[in-house]
Amino acid sequence: MNKLKPRLLVSLLLSALSLPALALEPCNPCDPVDTPKVYAVGVAYLPNWQAALWVDGVRTDLPPLVNQYNTGAKEANDVVVVDNFMTGEPDIYVAGTANITTNNAAAADSSAMVWKNGEIHSQIPSISSTYVNQFAGAKGLFIDNGNIYTAGYTDAKFSSIAGPQPNFADMKPVYWKNGQMTLLPINPSAYRGMGTRMTVRNGNTYVIGTHAFTQEGHPATPGAFGSGALWVNGTEVLYTPMPYPETVTTTTTQLYVGGALAPYANETVYRAGYIYRALSLGSVSAGTGSPGIFYGVILGKAGMTSRVTDMQIVGTRIYAVGWELRPSGKYVAKLWINQSGVDLSEESESAIATSVFVHGNDVYVGGSTNNILNQYAKAVIWKNGAMTSLNGTALGSHITSIYVK
């Protein structure tokens, strides 16, 4: 495939949607151009995994907890940038996880984190005080009217704090509002649960996540061991037809959840898509086995496993990104605009897209490609299909979220 093809395809698609493509003609004289900044978060391997923030391609490693166990901040999962009218400069908020023990590789022993402008803004420890492996993590971030919302998980196995369903799951889905935690109900037989992304509109909270029913079914990779979940104002919407939810967003009237839809008819693969329904339905169940209250849209090709990882809705256009698994075993990063899909990467690169942000007439997509030289992933951003590497001096890196302002 020609290296320029993804950029040309995206430009053609934008043109077809009555959006101007890349400017090709010089202007004389030119009006001043307000160049936005591109903020991206993720991880960099230095050689341990480290939470990282990139601003216009320049990486800053986010600080760990300030205590005797400061082994590192290991995850940066979501970024939001808001105007600060007092300083005139934007404030950069990042949600993630930092270790609180000397075992840098441990999945447990961690604290949920929010960083502001590259410094620790708040840390949210596990609610367990007796369990040896104490852990909490923040996966999703949303800021509404000055309130900081984060979605994630906390251990609760031996906690004296009773959740909505006080079972003995060792990991429970939660969201925090300004550090105040709300436990989210999970199936009584579930072994683990996790909140992964959230959004807020008119004071109403919408959280997506996963349930896992065995210890082996880690919620980070749900499948045969788990199922997707959607909570509205802390109440689970039962029978939501989205087994692999990855992203949630709203318009003034609709709720959208993107991810992968269960196989249809005689198919055996999960295909990228999204579901949506009226916001006014709130936490009303879809009905046993019936997705009737939700409408579903399939984006992925028949016969190929694919997934939507992020969505943004601008006017009448729905932008979705994700990946498609080809028969060769390689992943191809995908962008869909109003159900028209284009490849952002060549099949030989084995790339995935994880985040999308539309600014004016430009479409920014974050993700990673395989680094052939050392087998680590390489963080990249596509702008209108043209790819830029953010890997820099890191051995490996990956983008989880981008924001353009």
Side-chain angles (χ1 to χ4, degrees):
M1 178 186 291
N2 190 301
K3 291 279 186 183
L4 294 177
K5 192 170 184 181
R7 180 176 181 176
L8 293 175
L9 285 173
V10 172
S11 296
L12 289 171
L13 181 55
L14 291 173
S15 298
L17 293 169
S18 301
L19 284 172
L22 302 178
L24 299 178
E25 297 295 331
C27 56
N28 186 22
C30 291
D31 294 328
V33 177
D34 182 17
T35 304
K37 287 187 176 181
V38 181
Y39 304 85
V41 297
V43 292
Y45 195 69
L46 305 174
N48 292 318
W49 290 113
Q50 167 68 42
L53 163 69
W54 289 265
V55 180
D56 285 341
V58 178
R59 192 188 80 235
T60 298
D61 299 326
L62 296 172
L65 295 173
V66 181
N67 61 23
Q68 58 182 325
Y69 304 117
N70 56 355
T71 55
K74 63 180 182 178
E75 289 180 2
N77 296 313
D78 209 359
V79 59
V80 176
V81 182
V82 298
D83 289 323
N84 186 325
F85 297 105
M86 298 294 293
T87 65
E89 295 293 330
D91 287 329
I92 311 164
Y93 292 87
V94 180
T97 305
N99 291 324
I100 56 175
T101 72
T102 55
N103 184 357
N104 194 58
D109 303 290
S110 61
S111 188
M113 301 294 297
V114 173
W115 293 272
K116 179 181 178 182
N117 300 330
E119 301 294 334
I120 295 173
H121 180 67
S122 63
Q123 63 188 68
I124 307 169
S126 155
I127 62 174
S128 171
S129 60
T130 58
Y131 191 28
V132 174
N133 294 323
Q134 302 177 44
F135 52 88
K139 307 293 284 187
L141 174 67
F142 197 87
I143 297 179
D144 180 62
N145 290 325
N147 297 303
I148 302 173
Y149 295 83
T150 49
Y153 58 89
T154 183
D155 69 300
K157 192 168 187 178
F158 296 108
S159 171
S160 60
I161 299 178
Q165 292 186 335
N167 61 352
F168 292 97
D170 79 336
M171 178 187 288
K172 284 191 174 181
V174 299
Y175 77 86
W176 295 273
K177 178 182 178 181
N178 301 325
Q180 184 67 38
M181 184 177 64
T182 297
L183 283 166
L184 298 171
I186 60 175
N187 188 297
S189 62
Y191 181 80
R192 286 179 171 177
M194 174 186 288
T196 54
R197 283 291 188 267
M198 74 177 299
T199 190
V200 181
R201 183 174 285 271
N202 298 327
N204 298 305
T205 60
Y206 305 87
V207 181
I208 58 168
T210 58
H211 295 163
F213 295 99
T214 69
Q215 183 173 0
E216 291 75 22
H218 192 282
T221 54
F225 302 106
S227 62
L230 165 66
W231 296 272
V232 177
N233 292 329
T235 299
E236 185 176 6
V237 179
L238 299 177
Y239 313 113
T240 302
M242 177 60 74
Y244 289 84
E246 296 278 355
T247 183
V248 59
T249 189
T250 62
T251 64
T252 55
T253 59
Q254 303 286 334
L255 167 70
Y256 291 79
V257 178
L261 296 169
Y264 278 73
N266 296 323
E267 292 187 1
T268 59
V269 300
Y270 289 79
R271 292 164 61 184
Y274 60 87
I275 58 175
Y276 65 98
R277 73 179 206 179
L279 282 180
S280 59
L281 290 169
S283 59
V284 174
S285 170
T288 304
S290 172
I293 294 179
F294 287 91
Y295 296 91
V297 176
I298 299 176
L299 299 176
K301 298 176 184 176
M304 292 187 188
T305 300
S306 56
R307 189 171 302 181
V308 167
T309 55
D310 194 23
M311 296 174 63
Q312 186 177 3
I313 302 173
V314 180
T316 59
R317 300 184 181 94
I318 300 176
Y319 300 82
V321 296
W323 51 260
E324 182 178 84
L325 178 61
R326 297 288 170 82
S328 63
K330 299 289 187 179
Y331 291 85
V332 173
K334 298 288 295 188
L335 165 67
W336 294 274
I337 305 178
N338 285 0
Q339 302 178 43
S340 296
V342 295
D343 296 350
L344 293 173
S345 63
E346 298 184 47
E347 187 170 335
S348 60
E349 291 175 321
S350 197
I352 63 172
T354 53
S355 184
V356 61
F357 200 99
V358 180
H359 186 278
N361 295 325
D362 297 317
V363 182
Y364 297 81
V365 179
S368 62
T369 64
N370 185 54
N371 190 324
I372 298 175
L373 294 178
N374 57 24
Q375 299 303 306
Y376 287 114
K378 178 177 66 176
V380 296
I381 287 181
W382 292 272
K383 179 183 177 182
N384 299 331
M387 186 182 73
T388 300
S389 172
L390 301 184
N391 200 53
T393 59
L395 296 175
S397 55
H398 176 63
I399 297 300
T400 54
S401 177
I402 63 171
Y403 201 99
V404 182
K405 191 174 182 64

